[in-house]
Amino acid sequence: MSLWIHLGINAMSTMLLSASNYTMQVISSPTRKEVDDAHAKSRWLDIGIPSTRNLRSISWGRITMWIILGLSSVPLHLMYNTAVFSSLSANAYDYIVVSEDFFDSSAVYNASIGFSTIDILNAMHEAAVNGNLSNYTSAECMTMYGVNFVSKARNVLLVTNTRDTTNNSVLASQEWDGTQEIPYSWICGDGWDGDPYADQMQVCTTTIAQAAATDWTVSGHHISYCMVEVVEEKCQLSFSLVIMLIVIAVNASKACIMILTAWKLNEPTLVTIGDAVASFLKDPDPTSEGICLSTKMDIQKKRWKLQTAKPWTPKKHFWFRAASVKRWLICNILCIGVIGLGIFLLTQGMDGIDIYNIKALWELGFGTVSANSVVTVAPTGLIATTLFANLPQGILSFLYLTYNGLFSCMLGALEWNRFGRFRKPLRVTAPEGTQRSTYYLQLPYTYAIPLLLMSGGLHWLMSQSLFLALVNVYDDDGEFDAENSISTVGYSCIAIFAALIVGGVAVVCGIANGFRRYDDGIPLVGSCSAAISAACHPPKEDSMAHLMPVKWGKVERDPGSDGVGHCCFSSFEVERPVSGDLYAGTKEKYS
Ligand SMILES: *[C@@H]1O[C@H](CO)[C@@H](O)[C@H](O)[C@H]1NC(C)=O
Ligand SMILES: *[C@@H]1O[C@H](CO)[C@@H](O)[C@H](O)[C@H]1NC(C)=O
Ligand SMILES: *[C@@H]1O[C@H](CO)[C@@H](O)[C@H](O)[C@H]1NC(C)=O
Ligand SMILES: *[C@@H]1O[C@H](CO)[C@@H](O)[C@H](O)[C@H]1NC(C)=O
Ligand SMILES: *[C@@H]1O[C@H](CO)[C@@H](O)[C@H](O)[C@H]1NC(C)=O
């Protein structure tokens, strides 16, 4: 149940966060007026990608809404997954060393022997006589009890064939609640006190492995086999009211902002490159006249206002040129850093449980609180533990944001690049004429769906890697023992391993995509509003270009006296510009 609920939760949160991201994008996109104002001050804005550059140029109301949407995503990432959590049960138990006589004797115990109470002795005796105990070999018994949390069994009779001088059928007994430093050290016998904990653990694990095959001695008695009181496992699925309330509150605030955006944001913003091109074709931007071959680089280097004709030099740019160096560095350094940290923690985790092969780790399972996979430094208290367990989710969300930003840059540039080769209608938020509507997801489906699956999958793996570990302890009578019950953070090595593999593949894919090349038929403008507007000065007669399929290229023109041509988006025939020719745009002929 926990598995399916968490898959569902992750699917929902992915959708919710995508919707929130989309709204943030709409809000932070500039309106045409804001673009014009910025251009008038020789500044440019970002179109079609998530960016903070635009925040300097948009209204306070929208900045506030943007911030609320952004901030409300943080608790969602940190808490959504722990709104529902499962808890295990652990049983305290008595181990009682008995001789075979214990089963024949009709004796009723009226005094405690060893540390077990009269009640337990009699109950075990009765269960044994009634055949209510299960017969396990020594090896099975050691495996069953050699774990941190014994959940499927309680009291156990360790049957020996030796006798002592008092002729008692009960030779020794002990109450065991698992709070001892090594939760099952009784199995290993004594004799290694003073060794460091890890060594003791090692010795005990090894002892169990060896002794199981040959000789097992408890309290000086050789154990032949065990009779185990098998009980039903009492696991539990719970939800936290406080966390639910926080999640509901931030979701509600997100919903309000989204509704407000749909309702009150009357002036359309230029969300996609298609929106910007349509707007600039319909109403060309006077500040970018005469620089029709401008690239983002030209604009950044302040060659904006020089307005000279520029020779066309076709170049097949790498995809990575579409995003800034800063963006690439931030994303990849962070990703590689986090993967490195993950590898370090994985080795620590494997040390913690002393298992170093993948098959054995796989058998421990995803997200299961097993033997020792509990973080010993975890904070206490449900909220603090929750935040600690979900920290990786928050980090992952941030990484994904930067990763997705890279793809948005590269694929936005690809969309632009295609206009140099094919005639296509513009992709806009509110289509008119032959315009196409925008994708449901921000990127083309061929990229959006794999990215979404990867992100959802990684979040799920993270939720299985480090998770809330809740263990309800029951005492040897089967009563709930609140004092010894634990709520902490557990980890699963195999899930961490899988997450690292998926994350590593994602980083490599991102970089590999950067080494693909664009076609050389159109300048690389990236998301730069000024360079986009420079390419949108169509011939005067082409006033409906924004509603029709368009293509970028050299527009037909009388062989000019100055030999300078003009390139732009147009619904008319266009040709690929000629390498080495000069191109600009003149006020008289081109609006
Ligand atoms: C236990 O029972 C035996 C007889 O079965 C009796 O002799 C003995 O006194 C009893 N002990 C206690 C502590 O009641
Ligand atoms: C085990 O004990 C229960 C009563 O607690 C009894 O009903 C049942 O028959 C016993 N099982 C066996 C196999 O004797
Ligand atoms: C338990 O099984 C062993 C053999 O595996 C057998 O010798 C022993 O008698 C059995 N004990 C009981 C109480 O059934
Ligand atoms: C021990 O028990 C056996 C039978 O159960 C009996 O024959 C023997 O006398 C007892 N020995 C002592 C010292 O009580
Ligand atoms: C967020 O929105 C931007 C712009 O619309 C888009 O490019 C990006 O893919 C989206 N990111 C996520 C994480 O969905």
Side-chain angles (χ1 to χ4, degrees):
M1 269 173 86
S2 176
L3 182 83
W4 290 111
I5 287 179
H6 279 106
L7 281 177
I9 284 179
N10 280 293
M12 280 198 295
S13 70
T14 304
M15 286 194 286
L16 182 69
L17 292 166
S18 299
S20 161
N21 170 56
Y22 178 82
T23 315
M24 282 175 81
Q25 181 66 18
V26 170
I27 292 176
S28 70
S29 298
T31 62
R32 175 59 195 273
K33 184 168 176 308
E34 286 159 351
V35 172
D36 289 344
D37 289 349
H39 287 185
K41 293 180 201 144
S42 294
R43 288 197 286 119
W44 54 276
L45 300 178
D46 274 323
I47 308 279
I49 58 164
S51 128
T52 47
R53 162 187 290 273
N54 296 352
L55 295 184
R56 276 179 276 163
S57 305
I58 65 175
S59 72
W60 272 109
R62 271 155 63 203
I63 294 180
T64 315
M65 282 157 65
W66 187 86
I67 291 175
I68 294 176
L69 279 180
L71 288 184
S72 62
S73 295
V74 177
L76 219 53
H77 282 128
L78 293 181
M79 296 185 167
Y80 214 89
N81 258 298
T82 22
V84 177
F85 48 87
S86 56
S87 46
L88 298 180
S89 63
N91 298 318
Y93 53 89
D94 286 13
Y95 65 85
I96 307 164
V97 181
V98 298
S99 63
E100 295 268 5
D101 302 344
F102 189 84
F103 304 108
D104 320 322
S105 142
S106 56
V108 173
Y109 295 90
N110 59 2
S112 59
I113 306 174
F115 292 89
S116 291
T117 60
I118 304 169
D119 290 346
I120 299 262
L121 287 177
N122 284 317
M124 286 305 280
H125 179 254
E126 197 181 324
V129 171
N130 289 341
N132 256 350
L133 300 182
S134 309
N135 193 341
Y136 283 87
T137 65
S138 305
E140 288 167 341
C141 187
M142 288 170 117
T143 317
M144 189 158 207
Y145 285 89
V147 293
N148 280 9
F149 309 118
V150 175
S151 57
K152 292 183 185 134
R154 193 172 297 129
N155 303 322
V156 57
L157 301 177
L158 307 171
V159 186
T160 175
N161 46 19
T162 59
R163 271 166 185 282
D164 73 354
T165 48
T166 62
N167 214 8
N168 261 327
S169 57
V170 178
L171 305 174
S173 76
Q174 181 64 271
E175 281 181 73
W176 198 263
D177 60 10
T179 58
Q180 292 79 356
E181 191 181 21
I182 295 175
Y184 44 85
S185 55
W186 65 269
I187 296 179
C188 310
D190 305 315
W192 26 267
D193 285 341
D195 289 340
Y197 173 70
D199 288 354
Q200 291 187 20
M201 207 67 190
Q202 178 88 42
V203 170
C204 189
T205 318
T206 317
T207 311
I208 289 178
Q210 289 167 352
T214 55
D215 177 44
W216 182 24
T217 307
V218 176
S219 306
H221 303 281
H222 170 79
I223 307 301
S224 320
Y225 62 92
C226 306
M227 298 300 291
V228 175
E229 181 188 5
V230 174
V231 296
E232 206 172 307
E233 205 173 350
K234 291 181 192 153
C235 50
Q236 221 177 48
L237 198 62
S238 336
F239 72 89
S240 155
L241 190 61
V242 178
I243 293 177
M244 284 283 191
L245 287 176
I246 296 176
V247 166
I248 289 171
V250 296
N251 280 0
S253 68
K254 270 196 193 301
C256 287
I257 301 276
M258 289 184 205
I259 292 169
L260 212 64
T261 307
W263 227 3
K264 292 283 177 191
L265 197 70
N266 297 323
E267 209 176 334
T269 57
L270 308 178
V271 180
T272 65
I273 288 189
D275 286 338
V277 171
S279 167
F280 290 129
L281 283 179
K282 188 173 172 194
D283 184 11
D285 174 10
T287 63
S288 62
E289 256 168 19
I291 47 169
C292 67
L293 295 188
S294 288
T295 62
K296 180 173 177 176
M297 206 59 95
D298 293 333
I299 302 288
Q300 275 174 333
K301 288 187 182 153
K302 309 255 182 259
R303 282 189 228 135
W304 185 347
K305 293 289 156 65
L306 296 184
Q307 307 233 353
T308 53
K310 188 182 166 190
W312 171 244
T313 40
K315 191 156 190 282
K316 287 185 188 294
H317 289 289
F318 282 115
W319 278 28
F320 66 70
R321 291 283 308 275
S324 66
V325 175
K326 197 171 85 186
R327 213 179 259 274
W328 276 101
L329 287 183
I330 290 181
C331 177
N332 285 299
I333 290 179
L334 287 180
C335 286
I336 291 169
V338 168
I339 288 177
L341 188 67
I343 291 175
F344 173 73
L345 292 177
L346 177 62
T347 57
Q348 295 292 302
M350 293 197 305
D351 280 348
I353 55 176
D354 251 325
I355 296 178
Y356 299 98
N357 77 69
I358 301 294
K359 189 167 159 287
L361 290 176
W362 175 261
E363 279 160 6
L364 284 181
F366 277 65
T368 40
V369 191
S370 62
N372 328 0
S373 55
V374 157
V375 177
T376 39
V377 292
T380 52
L382 183 65
I383 299 285
T385 318
T386 300
L387 294 182
F388 181 81
N390 282 297
L391 209 59
Q393 304 268 2
I395 295 175
L396 175 69
S397 302
F398 181 73
L399 288 184
Y400 181 66
L401 222 59
T402 67
Y403 186 78
N404 191 290
L406 275 183
F407 271 86
S408 299
C409 288
M410 293 196 290
L411 295 170
L414 179 66
E415 185 182 5
W416 170 270
N417 191 259
R418 293 246 166 91
F419 282 108
R421 187 173 268 259
F422 307 105
R423 180 173 298 283
K424 291 200 299 180
L426 295 167
R427 188 177 66 85
V428 299
T429 30
E432 290 177 81
T434 65
Q435 291 174 338
R436 287 172 301 151
S437 75
T438 188
Y439 315 116
Y440 279 117
L441 305 165
Q442 287 307 288
L443 303 171
Y445 291 121
T446 39
Y447 291 89
I449 290 174
L451 282 179
L452 215 60
L453 287 180
M454 184 202 75
S455 148
L458 268 177
H459 274 291
W460 179 73
L461 283 177
M462 289 278 186
S463 74
Q464 304 299 300
S465 295
L466 201 61
F467 48 87
L468 222 50
L470 302 169
V471 183
N472 295 330
V473 174
Y474 296 86
D475 67 17
D476 52 4
D477 289 325
E479 299 295 324
F480 178 62
D481 177 359
E483 201 175 309
N484 284 323
S485 294
I486 37 181
S487 89
T488 180
V489 174
Y491 62 85
S492 161
C493 286
I494 193 71
I496 299 177
F497 184 74
L500 286 175
I501 300 262
V502 175
V505 169
V507 171
V508 171
C509 283
I511 294 176
N513 270 298
F515 283 95
R516 293 165 71 180
R517 284 182 192 266
Y518 292 116
D519 183 50
D520 59 359
I522 185 170
L524 188 69
V525 300
S527 55
C528 172
S529 62
I532 294 171
S533 78
C536 301
H537 292 273
K540 266 207 175 74
E541 311 79 55
D542 194 8
S543 59
M544 301 307 269
H546 63 286
L547 296 180
M548 317 235 232
V550 291
K551 186 175 174 186
W552 183 92
K554 178 177 75 156
V555 285
E556 281 197 87
R557 181 179 180 187
D558 302 334
S561 47
D562 52 0
V564 176
H566 178 61
C567 293
C568 63
F569 276 87
S570 174
S571 64
F572 295 173
E573 267 316 300
V574 295
E575 290 167 28
R576 273 172 102 90
V578 179
S579 175
D581 279 7
L582 292 176
Y583 295 94
T586 53
K587 270 205 165 81
E588 311 81 60
K589 283 207 110 152
Y590 303 101
S591 51

Short mmCIF file of all heavy atoms in Angstrom, two decimals, residues 81-105:
data_model
loop_
_atom_site.label_atom_id
_atom_site.label_comp_id
_atom_site.label_asym_id
_atom_site.label_seq_id
_atom_site.Cartn_x
_atom_site.Cartn_y
_atom_site.Cartn_z
N ASN A 81 5.91 13.84 0.28
CA ASN A 81 6.14 12.40 0.33
C ASN A 81 5.93 11.78 1.70
O ASN A 81 5.73 10.59 1.81
CB ASN A 81 7.57 12.12 -0.11
CG ASN A 81 7.60 11.62 -1.52
OD1 ASN A 81 7.03 10.57 -1.80
ND2 ASN A 81 8.20 12.38 -2.40
N THR A 82 5.99 12.60 2.74
CA THR A 82 5.86 12.01 4.08
C THR A 82 4.49 12.27 4.69
O THR A 82 4.29 12.00 5.85
CB THR A 82 6.93 12.54 5.03
OG1 THR A 82 7.38 13.76 4.53
CG2 THR A 82 8.05 11.56 5.18
N ALA A 83 3.57 12.79 3.88
CA ALA A 83 2.22 12.96 4.41
C ALA A 83 1.69 11.59 4.82
O ALA A 83 0.97 11.46 5.80
CB ALA A 83 1.33 13.60 3.36
N VAL A 84 2.07 10.57 4.07
CA VAL A 84 1.67 9.21 4.42
C VAL A 84 2.94 8.41 4.67
O VAL A 84 3.89 8.52 3.92
CB VAL A 84 0.88 8.55 3.27
CG1 VAL A 84 0.54 7.12 3.60
CG2 VAL A 84 -0.37 9.35 2.98
N PHE A 85 2.96 7.65 5.74
CA PHE A 85 4.16 6.87 6.01
C PHE A 85 3.78 5.56 6.68
O PHE A 85 2.74 5.43 7.30
CB PHE A 85 5.14 7.65 6.89
CG PHE A 85 4.52 8.29 8.09
CD1 PHE A 85 4.39 7.58 9.27
CD2 PHE A 85 4.05 9.58 8.03
CE1 PHE A 85 3.81 8.16 10.39
CE2 PHE A 85 3.46 10.17 9.13
CZ PHE A 85 3.34 9.47 10.31
N SER A 86 4.65 4.59 6.52
CA SER A 86 4.35 3.29 7.09
C SER A 86 5.25 3.06 8.30
O SER A 86 6.33 3.62 8.38
CB SER A 86 4.58 2.19 6.07
OG SER A 86 5.90 2.27 5.59
N SER A 87 4.77 2.27 9.23
CA SER A 87 5.63 1.95 10.36
C SER A 87 5.68 0.44 10.53
O SER A 87 4.75 -0.28 10.18
CB SER A 87 5.16 2.62 11.64
OG SER A 87 3.79 2.46 11.78
N LEU A 88 6.80 -0.02 11.05
CA LEU A 88 7.00 -1.45 11.27
C LEU A 88 6.72 -1.79 12.71
O LEU A 88 6.58 -0.90 13.55
CB LEU A 88 8.45 -1.80 11.00
CG LEU A 88 8.96 -1.58 9.60
CD1 LEU A 88 10.40 -1.98 9.54
CD2 LEU A 88 8.13 -2.39 8.64
N SER A 89 6.71 -3.07 13.00
CA SER A 89 6.59 -3.45 14.40
C SER A 89 7.85 -4.21 14.79
O SER A 89 8.52 -4.80 13.96
CB SER A 89 5.37 -4.34 14.60
OG SER A 89 5.53 -5.53 13.87
N ALA A 90 8.21 -4.10 16.05
CA ALA A 90 9.34 -4.88 16.57
C ALA A 90 8.87 -5.48 17.88
O ALA A 90 8.21 -4.81 18.68
CB ALA A 90 10.54 -3.98 16.80
N ASN A 91 9.21 -6.73 18.09
CA ASN A 91 8.78 -7.39 19.32
C ASN A 91 9.95 -7.57 20.28
O ASN A 91 11.02 -7.99 19.88
CB ASN A 91 8.19 -8.76 19.00
CG ASN A 91 6.96 -8.65 18.13
OD1 ASN A 91 6.12 -7.78 18.36
ND2 ASN A 91 6.88 -9.51 17.13
N ALA A 92 9.70 -7.20 21.52
CA ALA A 92 10.65 -7.61 22.56
C ALA A 92 10.33 -9.08 22.85
O ALA A 92 9.23 -9.53 22.58
CB ALA A 92 10.45 -6.76 23.79
N TYR A 93 11.30 -9.81 23.36
CA TYR A 93 11.05 -11.24 23.57
C TYR A 93 11.92 -11.78 24.69
O TYR A 93 12.88 -11.16 25.13
CB TYR A 93 11.31 -12.03 22.28
CG TYR A 93 12.67 -11.79 21.67
CD1 TYR A 93 13.78 -12.56 22.03
CD2 TYR A 93 12.85 -10.78 20.74
CE1 TYR A 93 15.02 -12.33 21.48
CE2 TYR A 93 14.09 -10.52 20.17
CZ TYR A 93 15.17 -11.31 20.55
OH TYR A 93 16.40 -11.06 19.99
N ASP A 94 11.55 -12.97 25.18
CA ASP A 94 12.38 -13.70 26.13
C ASP A 94 13.01 -14.85 25.36
O ASP A 94 12.34 -15.51 24.58
CB ASP A 94 11.53 -14.33 27.24
CG ASP A 94 11.03 -13.28 28.23
OD1 ASP A 94 11.14 -12.08 27.93
OD2 ASP A 94 10.49 -13.71 29.29
N TYR A 95 14.29 -15.07 25.58
CA TYR A 95 14.83 -16.33 25.07
C TYR A 95 15.06 -17.22 26.27
O TYR A 95 15.57 -16.80 27.30
CB TYR A 95 16.09 -16.12 24.22
CG TYR A 95 17.30 -15.56 24.93
CD1 TYR A 95 18.18 -16.41 25.62
CD2 TYR A 95 17.58 -14.20 24.87
CE1 TYR A 95 19.30 -15.90 26.24
CE2 TYR A 95 18.70 -13.68 25.50
CZ TYR A 95 19.56 -14.53 26.19
OH TYR A 95 20.65 -14.02 26.81
N ILE A 96 14.58 -18.44 26.16
CA ILE A 96 14.59 -19.36 27.30
C ILE A 96 15.32 -20.64 26.88
O ILE A 96 14.89 -21.30 25.93
CB ILE A 96 13.15 -19.70 27.73
CG1 ILE A 96 12.35 -18.40 27.96
CG2 ILE A 96 13.15 -20.56 28.99
CD1 ILE A 96 10.86 -18.61 28.02
N VAL A 97 16.41 -20.92 27.60
CA VAL A 97 17.14 -22.15 27.29
C VAL A 97 16.50 -23.29 28.08
O VAL A 97 16.39 -23.22 29.29
CB VAL A 97 18.63 -22.02 27.67
CG1 VAL A 97 19.38 -23.30 27.31
CG2 VAL A 97 19.25 -20.81 26.97
N VAL A 98 16.01 -24.30 27.39
CA VAL A 98 15.32 -25.40 28.07
C VAL A 98 15.90 -26.74 27.62
O VAL A 98 16.48 -26.85 26.55
CB VAL A 98 13.81 -25.40 27.76
CG1 VAL A 98 13.16 -24.12 28.26
CG2 VAL A 98 13.56 -25.59 26.27
N SER A 99 15.67 -27.75 28.46
CA SER A 99 16.04 -29.10 28.04
C SER A 99 14.80 -29.75 27.43
O SER A 99 13.70 -29.21 27.53
CB SER A 99 16.53 -29.90 29.25
OG SER A 99 15.46 -30.03 30.17
N GLU A 100 14.97 -30.89 26.82
CA GLU A 100 13.84 -31.59 26.17
C GLU A 100 12.69 -31.85 27.15
O GLU A 100 11.54 -31.89 26.76
CB GLU A 100 14.32 -32.93 25.59
CG GLU A 100 15.34 -32.81 24.46
CD GLU A 100 14.68 -32.78 23.08
OE1 GLU A 100 13.43 -32.76 23.04
OE2 GLU A 100 15.40 -32.76 22.08
N ASP A 101 13.04 -32.01 28.46
CA ASP A 101 12.02 -32.29 29.49
C ASP A 101 10.90 -31.27 29.49
O ASP A 101 9.78 -31.56 29.87
CB ASP A 101 12.65 -32.24 30.90
CG ASP A 101 13.78 -33.22 31.04
OD1 ASP A 101 13.87 -34.12 30.18
OD2 ASP A 101 14.57 -33.07 31.99
N PHE A 102 11.24 -30.05 29.08
CA PHE A 102 10.27 -28.96 29.12
C PHE A 102 8.98 -29.34 28.39
O PHE A 102 7.90 -28.94 28.76
CB PHE A 102 10.90 -27.72 28.48
CG PHE A 102 10.09 -26.46 28.63
CD1 PHE A 102 10.19 -25.70 29.79
CD2 PHE A 102 9.24 -26.03 27.63
CE1 PHE A 102 9.46 -24.53 29.93
CE2 PHE A 102 8.51 -24.86 27.77
CZ PHE A 102 8.62 -24.12 28.92
N PHE A 103 9.12 -30.17 27.34
CA PHE A 103 7.96 -30.51 26.53
C PHE A 103 7.13 -31.63 27.13
O PHE A 103 5.93 -31.68 26.95
CB PHE A 103 8.39 -30.91 25.11
CG PHE A 103 9.20 -29.84 24.44
CD1 PHE A 103 10.56 -29.98 24.25
CD2 PHE A 103 8.58 -28.66 24.03
CE1 PHE A 103 11.28 -28.99 23.65
CE2 PHE A 103 9.31 -27.66 23.43
CZ PHE A 103 10.67 -27.81 23.24
N ASP A 104 7.78 -32.53 27.86
CA ASP A 104 7.03 -33.65 28.43
C ASP A 104 6.35 -33.25 29.73
O ASP A 104 5.21 -33.60 29.98
CB ASP A 104 7.97 -34.82 28.78
CG ASP A 104 9.03 -35.02 27.72
OD1 ASP A 104 8.67 -34.85 26.52
OD2 ASP A 104 10.19 -35.30 28.08
N SER A 105 7.07 -32.51 30.50
CA SER A 105 6.67 -32.23 31.87
C SER A 105 5.31 -31.55 31.93
O SER A 105 4.97 -30.71 31.12
CB SER A 105 7.74 -31.36 32.52
OG SER A 105 7.15 -30.42 33.36
#
